[in-house]
């Protein structure tokens, strides 16, 4: 046991300080543009949706959550609620933040005053802004929703746009026509038909590629069916969506539109050398259908035959492993053998057991070289608690394997190379940063 613990510690020391690619960072473009320094920890912590949900579950009045209550009162209410959050990582993540702010460990409500004073003192003497927090990353990919305004000036250095077409994908949404209208305004095209949408997509990617964008992100959580598409029928469905007939579209028509949009996006991305970031949230976090690996495989085969399949990252929530996932691990490759499909773990708020379950799935199947580590970011954190937790779990899993099943075949340097690749290096190569 001591040998295993010592090995895990050595591996952790070799990776925990490595800068990583932050995908879909916890700050919006407007926050990064303003770059206002944080004065109290509450200003950032209360952007964390897990924290908000937990406090509401504890019966805290809304005035001390999202209302006009004083920041100190909100902090006190938060610390009073923490004992009831046992079973979640919320308290551990807050204490990781306090360590980053040089505030001593303070686990109880009676310590709220000292936490308040210590954190505010640190923030008064150190300029902590969204940009300063992002500077810790090798690269920071900032979500930009298509059709929404965004200042180009925020994208400099390691801060890059991550173009998101989620609203355009959901043709049944009441916001669909507004999104298409915004897409047209942002590109200067009159988007009234399928050709206009495709032109606007190309123009959008032209703009963001010039600003350093390397990827397009979509939420495919409800992708449970595949149908072949064609421009004629896709144009008819689009016309109905633009005419406000969204609620009358059948499921088959909605799927047809999604496949057509994915096809157009893939062609445009291939022309710009971009990657796909496809996220599948836990089915407890959305009301769409269950993600189907079979439907997804059919989609990728369809795009491959069309010679329009970009290099793709498919990311699942920690602990979520959909039926048939193994069939995708070695399914899509370039002619030279280079993989076209990689995988990631959305780790925000995930406990070690969930991270371990996902990690073991890939490691046990010899697919570590396809795993890009943590592929999401937490909102409302000064530190990167999910990344730190993943580093500990990764080190522990590799050490456990080496001691129990490795049979002496993997020395410390070999294990460290795997840990470094999974934790940071493979994602950096994938995104070209």
């Amino acid at each position: 046991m001591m040998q295993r613990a010592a090995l895990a510690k050595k591996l952790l020391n070799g990776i925990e300080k490595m800068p990583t690619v932050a995908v879909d960072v916890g700050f919006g473009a407007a926050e990064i543009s303003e770059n206002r320094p944080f004065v109290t920890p509450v200003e950032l912590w209360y952007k964390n949706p897990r924290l908000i949900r937990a406090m509401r579950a504890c019966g805290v009045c809304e005035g001390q959550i999202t209302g006009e209550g004083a920041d100190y009162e909100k902090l006190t209410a938060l610390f009073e609620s923490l004992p009831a959050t046992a079973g979640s990582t919320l308290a551990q993540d807050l204490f990781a933040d306090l360590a980053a702010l040089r505030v001593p460990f303070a686990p109880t409500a009676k310590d709220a005053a000292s936490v308040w004073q210590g954190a505010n003192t640190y923030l008064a003497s150190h300029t902590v802004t969204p940009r300063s927090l992002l500077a810790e990353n090798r690269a920071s990919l900032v979500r930009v929703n298509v059709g929404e305004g965004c200042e180009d000036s925020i994208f400099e250095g390691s801060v890059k746009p991550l173009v998101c077409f989620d609203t355009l994908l959901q043709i049944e949404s009441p916001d669909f026509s507004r999104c298409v209208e915004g897409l047209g305004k942002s590109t200067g095209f009159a988007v009234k038909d399928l050709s206009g949408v495709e032109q606007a997509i190309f123009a959008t990617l032209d703009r963001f590629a010039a600003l350093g964008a390397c990827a397009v992100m979509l939420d495919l959580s409800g992708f449970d069916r595949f149908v072949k598409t064609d421009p004629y029928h896709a144009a008819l469905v689009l016309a109905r969506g633009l005419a406000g007939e969204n609620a009358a579209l059948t499921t088959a028509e909605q799927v047809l539109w999604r496949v057509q949009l994915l096809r157009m996006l893939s062609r445009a991305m291939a022309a710009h050398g971009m990657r796909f970031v496809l996220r599948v949230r836990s089915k407890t976090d959305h009301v769409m259908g269950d993600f189907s690996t079979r439907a997804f495989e059919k989609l990728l085969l369809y795009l491959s035959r069309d010679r329009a399949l970009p290099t793709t990252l498919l990311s699942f929530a920690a602990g979520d492993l959909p039926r048939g996932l193994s069939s995708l691990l070695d399914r899509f490759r370039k002619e030279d053998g280079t993989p076209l499909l990689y995988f990631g773990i959305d780790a925000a708020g995930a406990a070690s057991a969930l991270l371990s379950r996902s990690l073991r799935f890939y490691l046990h199947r010899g697919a570590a070289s396809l795993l890009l580590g943590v592929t999401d970011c937490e909102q409302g954190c000064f530190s990167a608690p999910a990344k730190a937790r993943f580093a500990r779990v990764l080190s522990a899993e590799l050490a456990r394997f080496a001691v129990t099943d490795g049979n002496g075949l993997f020395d410390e340097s070999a294990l460290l190379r795997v840990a470094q690749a999974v934790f940071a290096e493979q994602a950096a190569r994938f995104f070209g940063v």
Side-chain angles (χ1 to χ4, degrees), residues 156-345:
E156 57 183 21
S158 62
V159 178
K160 303 178 184 298
L162 178 63
V163 192
C164 180
F165 286 85
D166 279 350
T167 310
L168 201 61
L169 189 70
Q170 305 298 330
I171 194 170
E172 71 277 13
S173 168
D175 294 328
F176 178 76
S177 58
R178 181 188 62 80
C179 177
V180 174
E181 181 182 355
L183 178 65
K185 288 181 178 179
S186 67
T187 58
F189 287 96
V191 182
K192 298 180 179 179
D193 54 25
L194 196 64
S195 176
V197 171
E198 190 159 20
Q199 286 180 306
I201 287 173
F202 264 88
T204 298
L205 296 191
D206 279 341
R207 174 195 171 193
F208 287 109
L211 296 172
C214 53
V216 165
M217 184 173 72
L218 283 172
D219 185 341
L220 286 192
S221 299
F223 194 83
D224 57 356
R225 290 182 58 183
F226 170 82
V227 296
K228 290 185 178 179
T229 185
D230 63 82
Y232 174 74
H233 289 96
L236 293 179
V237 174
L238 173 63
R240 293 184 63 195
L242 293 177
E245 300 177 14
N246 312 64
L249 291 173
T250 66
T251 300
E253 288 173 325
Q254 295 171 22
V255 173
L256 186 148
W257 167 252
R258 287 173 192 146
V259 174
Q260 179 64 35
L261 178 63
L262 286 161
R263 185 182 185 188
M264 293 189 295
L265 278 171
S266 296
R267 288 175 172 176
M269 290 166 60
H272 292 85
M274 289 186 174
R275 270 88 166 113
F276 247 147
V277 176
L278 303 178
R279 179 159 290 158
V280 178
R281 291 175 290 146
S282 168
K283 63 184 179 182
T284 59
D285 292 333
H286 64 84
V287 295
M288 299 181 284
D290 291 344
F291 177 82
S292 165
T293 54
R294 182 57 180 152
F296 182 71
E297 183 177 17
K298 290 179 179 179
L299 170 67
L300 296 193
L301 285 170
Y302 180 66
L303 297 178
S304 296
R305 295 183 188 119
D306 200 33
R307 299 185 181 277
L309 177 60
T311 305
T312 298
L313 163 62
L314 180 61
S315 186
F316 297 99
D320 275 12
L321 300 168
R323 187 186 303 275
L325 181 56
S326 293
S327 65
L328 297 177
L329 293 181
D330 60 349
R331 190 72 176 84
F332 298 94
R333 297 153 62 87
K334 296 180 182 178
E335 291 183 0
D336 64 359
T338 304
L340 281 169
L341 182 59
Y342 294 83
F343 301 87
I345 302 172

Side-chain angles (χ1 to χ4, degrees), residues 65-190:
I65 302 176
T66 59
E68 298 299 324
D71 279 6
Y72 178 71
E73 294 174 350
K74 291 181 177 181
L75 182 73
T76 302
L78 169 60
F79 271 71
E80 289 175 346
S81 302
L82 283 183
T85 66
S88 82
T89 65
L90 185 60
Q92 184 184 44
D93 295 349
L94 290 176
F95 296 143
D97 270 8
L98 293 179
L101 298 177
R102 308 290 200 278
V103 177
F105 186 81
T108 64
K110 67 180 181 180
D111 298 307
S114 61
V115 167
W116 173 259
Q117 183 177 5
N120 290 354
T121 298
Y122 181 90
L123 292 172
S125 57
H126 298 76
T127 303
V128 180
T129 67
R131 279 196 179 275
S132 72
L133 295 175
L134 297 183
E136 302 293 325
N137 304 319
R138 180 166 184 150
S140 300
L141 309 187
V142 180
R143 178 198 294 241
V144 179
N145 294 312
V146 63
E148 295 184 1
C150 176
E151 295 182 19
D152 293 357
S153 59
I154 71 169
F155 301 112
E156 57 183 21
S158 62
V159 178
K160 303 178 184 298
L162 178 63
V163 192
C164 180
F165 286 85
D166 279 350
T167 310
L168 201 61
L169 189 70
Q170 305 298 330
I171 194 170
E172 71 277 13
S173 168
D175 294 328
F176 178 76
S177 58
R178 181 188 62 80
C179 177
V180 174
E181 181 182 355
L183 178 65
K185 288 181 178 179
S186 67
T187 58
F189 287 96

